Amino acid sequence: MGLELYLDLLSQPCRAVYIFAKKNRIPFELRTVDLLQGQNHSDEFVQVNPLRKVPALKDGDFTLAESVAILLYLARKYEAPDHWYPQDLQARARVDEYLSWQHTALRMSCTRAMWQKMMFPVFLGQRVPPETLANTLAELDRCLQLLEDKFLKDQDFLAGPHISVADLVAITELMHPVSAGCDIFKSRPKLAAWRQRVEAAVGEDLFREAHAVLMKAKDLPPADTAVKERLKPLAQLFL
Ligand SMILES: N[C@@H](CCC(=O)N[C@@H](CS)C(=O)NCC(=O)O)C(=O)O
């Protein structure tokens, strides 16, 4: 068996891996793991990733978790064009710097914004206190400012003049609040222009395809009681 990628495109790191693999014409079998149905807890998936999270990779007997590790494995194994993860010491360090930062900053505020604005009220039928949402959106705004000031600056892409895995990881995060109706680019022309450049570099069709599941999430039918119960521990992390 060749390369298998275990993904749910509702998940932002899965979309980054999916776009990277497709854009680089890396052949893979897509194994969809439906998180809302709890398929990440199935015996089959736990064999691949005991952490029970997507994305995950299986390449023959080799299994790998964590989106950053997966992106870098794919970049190295398939010798992706240098700009994705440059060989140059300092250019690579810039990409690494962003990948290290975003996990503890942008990631959580994008996830919280999407869940609090959309998944709780629409899917779980649970009210989110307005002050909780306001705090989340304020934190998101603070992270966006850091993204612009520290990483994007006056460059075309986050880690320099060319698109890299940092841009994929970032844009797939930012599309989370966008899907919930947060117009995060409206008052940020620099970031909006960057988004256009990333979409153009990825290809608009691939970008749309990767985000189709997410953009339809607002139309999900309300969860039944079993799904609500199963998602409770996870959902609490996003309040
Ligand atoms: N640090 C991990 C995070 C993976 C992660 O949190 N995946 C989420 C989806 S975005 C997941 O599988 N959640 C299921 C759960 O926690 O039950 C990565 O970057 O791959």
Side-chain angles (χ1 to χ4, degrees):
M1 181 59 79
L3 179 70
E4 296 165 82
L5 294 177
Y6 291 76
L7 309 175
D8 180 341
L9 294 181
L10 194 57
S11 140
Q12 54 277 54
C14 290
R15 293 193 296 275
V17 169
Y18 182 82
I19 292 172
F20 183 80
K22 286 274 182 178
K23 180 69 190 167
N24 287 288
R25 295 190 157 74
I26 295 171
F28 68 93
E29 288 290 332
L30 175 62
R31 305 272 179 245
T32 299
V33 180
D34 189 328
L35 292 176
L36 296 181
Q37 293 303 321
Q39 289 176 354
N40 52 319
H41 299 288
S42 73
D43 291 344
E44 188 208 335
F45 182 67
V46 172
Q47 299 286 318
V48 178
N49 185 7
L51 301 175
R52 299 170 187 246
K53 290 186 189 290
V54 286
L57 167 155
K58 192 163 188 291
D59 193 5
D61 291 337
F62 179 73
T63 56
L64 190 64
E66 290 294 328
S67 56
V68 170
I70 291 171
L71 285 165
L72 302 191
Y73 177 85
L74 295 177
R76 290 167 176 138
K77 171 162 177 176
Y78 295 94
E79 298 178 354
D82 189 69
H83 60 85
W84 288 113
Y85 192 56
Q87 290 290 336
D88 175 82
L89 178 69
Q90 293 184 356
R92 177 169 288 196
R94 283 277 164 254
V95 178
D96 291 337
E97 184 182 43
Y98 176 76
L99 296 176
S100 308
W101 174 75
Q102 78 93 30
H103 268 299
T104 53
L106 200 59
R107 176 105 220 256
M108 197 34 108
S109 55
C110 286
T111 307
R112 283 207 171 112
M114 188 266 212
W115 275 79
Q116 291 178 12
K117 222 170 143 37
M118 181 168 72
M119 296 302 272
F120 281 108
V122 174
F123 185 63
L124 298 179
Q126 189 177 327
R127 182 182 168 274
V128 175
E131 60 277 16
T132 304
L133 179 59
N135 287 341
T136 296
L137 296 180
E139 175 59 14
L140 175 59
D141 200 51
R142 196 186 68 83
C143 287
L144 292 173
Q145 196 60 49
L146 289 173
L147 183 67
E148 279 195 15
D149 294 346
K150 155 73 188 140
F151 294 97
L152 185 57
K153 296 180 281 198
D154 289 318
Q155 308 177 121
D156 278 352
F157 294 97
L158 291 182
H162 305 292
I163 191 167
S164 73
V165 291
D167 298 283
L168 292 187
V169 169
I171 193 68
T172 49
E173 288 294 341
L174 296 192
M175 292 308 286
H176 244 49
V178 168
S179 74
C182 302
D183 200 351
I184 56 173
F185 295 105
K186 196 172 170 196
S187 57
R188 296 187 178 276
K190 222 156 87 169
L191 216 54
W194 163 80
R195 174 190 171 173
Q196 296 306 321
R197 286 192 290 275
V198 174
E199 282 199 39
V202 162
E204 284 178 13
D205 288 348
L206 174 55
F207 191 84
R208 206 174 307 112
E209 178 194 325
H211 287 88
V213 172
L214 174 74
M215 298 315 274
K216 277 190 276 186
K218 61 181 180 314
D219 304 322
L220 280 168
D224 63 27
T225 314
V227 171
K228 282 184 189 165
E229 275 308 302
R230 187 164 4 85
L231 288 176
K232 217 182 225 170
L234 179 68
Q236 290 318 305
L237 299 175
F238 305 143
L239 273 178

